[in-house]
Amino acid sequence: VFPSFFEPCGLVQKEMHAMGVPTLATATGGFNDTIFTTGPNWNGFLFPRLEQWESEEQNKEIRKEVRKAVTEFNEILSILYKDK
């Protein structure tokens, strides 16, 4: 999880992508360029960075995307382990 104000390149998520680990990050800078939230190259989740970072609205956006990630991974795990 990367809540960033500014991310010029994004080397850490590139390392995560190389290992097959999805990224949850702020939709800014290099994250916008390297994290795909839909389609065949899907590799993570993005939440918007609001002007008021320390606000309830920002917290809601982050929580919404975390819930989405948890829900999707619970579905994947239930399929993988349904007979176990």
Side-chain angles (χ1 to χ4, degrees):
V1 176
F2 295 98
S4 295
F5 175 71
F6 177 76
E7 189 64 41
C9 181
L11 294 176
V12 175
Q13 85 265 17
K14 289 179 184 176
E15 291 174 359
M16 294 174 71
H17 298 162
M19 299 176 86
V21 177
T23 306
L24 174 61
T26 309
T28 187
F31 291 138
N32 271 333
D33 299 331
T34 59
I35 298 175
F36 304 101
T37 59
T38 60
N41 295 322
W42 175 88
N43 59 9
F45 305 88
L46 292 171
F47 54 85
R49 187 189 194 294
L50 304 179
E51 193 170 315
Q52 292 293 330
W53 177 253
E54 294 185 26
S55 66
E56 185 56 33
E57 293 82 17
Q58 182 67 70
N59 291 339
K60 285 179 185 178
E61 291 293 334
I62 295 170
R63 283 192 299 269
K64 181 174 78 174
E65 207 61 25
V66 168
R67 283 188 192 104
K68 181 179 173 185
V70 168
T71 299
E72 288 190 27
F73 282 103
N74 278 337
E75 290 172 8
I76 291 169
L77 288 173
S78 69
I79 291 167
L80 288 174
Y81 295 104
K82 70 178 179 180
D83 295 329
K84 308 254 185 233

